[in-house]
Amino acid sequence: MKHWAIWLPLALFGVLFAVFASGLIAPGDRTIVSQMIGKPLPDFDLPQAVPDRPAVARANFTDGKPKLLNVFASWCVPCVAEAPYLQQLANAGVDIYGVAIRDRGPDVQAFLARNGNPYARIGADDVSKIQFDLGSSGVPETFVINGKGIITYQHIGDIRPEHVPMILQKLKEAQ
């Protein structure tokens, strides 16, 4: 009876090793997709984040023209990486409205001065309320909003060069 008790710790180690190894080899998808896709933007009216750009409100998204709503922060490293591609979209005629998450005006201004400012409007979401209402789980995230204020697409993570054509296509589809 004592003979099998010697092997019990090794067997437990083997089981734990197998569980951890399976998680490393084939990790589960932990992406949190917004439940707001296909639904109207929640009602919001954010204050101005920087003096040279107007504030952002739900009413800004119901003029018949699709827009991007980009959730970003000055302290977000991937936001720096996506800045040139947001500028590329803005140069292509895309209206991009930004929501600065848990940020301070001077920090947002410094971020924009360093990385460019593709935003037509920028609102300040100091407590992440609109971020959570959108179903956004982090920064950066970008939403395609059709001209009636309906969320049609969510891009999780930073926009990279290979995403630009797809984002333009999603905007075209949202017309």
Side-chain angles (χ1 to χ4, degrees):
M1 186 126 156
K2 291 181 182 182
H3 183 66
W4 67 269
I6 292 173
W7 296 101
L8 184 61
L10 183 60
L12 287 174
F13 174 77
V15 169
L16 287 174
F17 179 79
V19 169
F20 289 125
S22 69
L24 291 174
I25 293 168
D29 184 11
R30 298 186 194 276
T31 305
I32 299 173
V33 179
S34 174
Q35 298 301 308
M36 294 297 292
I37 307 300
K39 297 180 182 172
L41 275 172
D43 192 30
F44 68 93
D45 189 1
L46 297 174
Q48 228 177 343
V50 294
D52 67 335
R53 293 292 190 262
V56 179
R58 184 192 187 290
N60 302 131
F61 293 90
T62 57
D63 63 359
K65 184 179 178 189
K67 295 173 183 55
L68 290 182
L69 179 60
N70 179 253
V71 180
F72 77 102
S74 67
W75 43 263
C76 163
V77 174
C79 296
V80 173
E82 85 170 349
Y85 310 110
L86 286 175
Q87 190 61 59
Q88 185 179 346
L89 288 164
N91 293 345
V94 175
D95 286 335
I96 304 172
Y97 294 176
V99 176
I101 301 299
R102 296 184 181 263
D103 226 327
R104 295 183 0 212
D107 295 335
V108 174
Q109 285 179 292
F111 173 87
L112 298 172
R114 278 190 315 273
N115 302 297
N117 188 349
Y119 303 105
R121 297 176 166 272
I122 306 173
D125 188 3
D126 295 336
V127 295
S128 296
K129 181 176 179 351
I130 187 61
Q131 179 186 25
F132 294 138
D133 288 351
L134 287 168
S136 168
S137 61
V139 290
E141 282 191 28
T142 304
F143 296 86
V144 174
I145 315 296
N146 73 12
K148 297 177 183 175
I150 306 295
I151 302 168
T152 62
Y153 175 73
Q154 174 189 23
H155 182 85
I156 299 171
D158 56 316
I159 295 172
R160 298 180 184 157
E162 63 269 19
H163 301 137
V164 171
M166 181 266 305
I167 298 278
L168 289 170
Q169 181 61 36
K170 294 291 185 183
L171 283 160
K172 186 176 181 182
E173 292 169 5
Q175 288 184 345

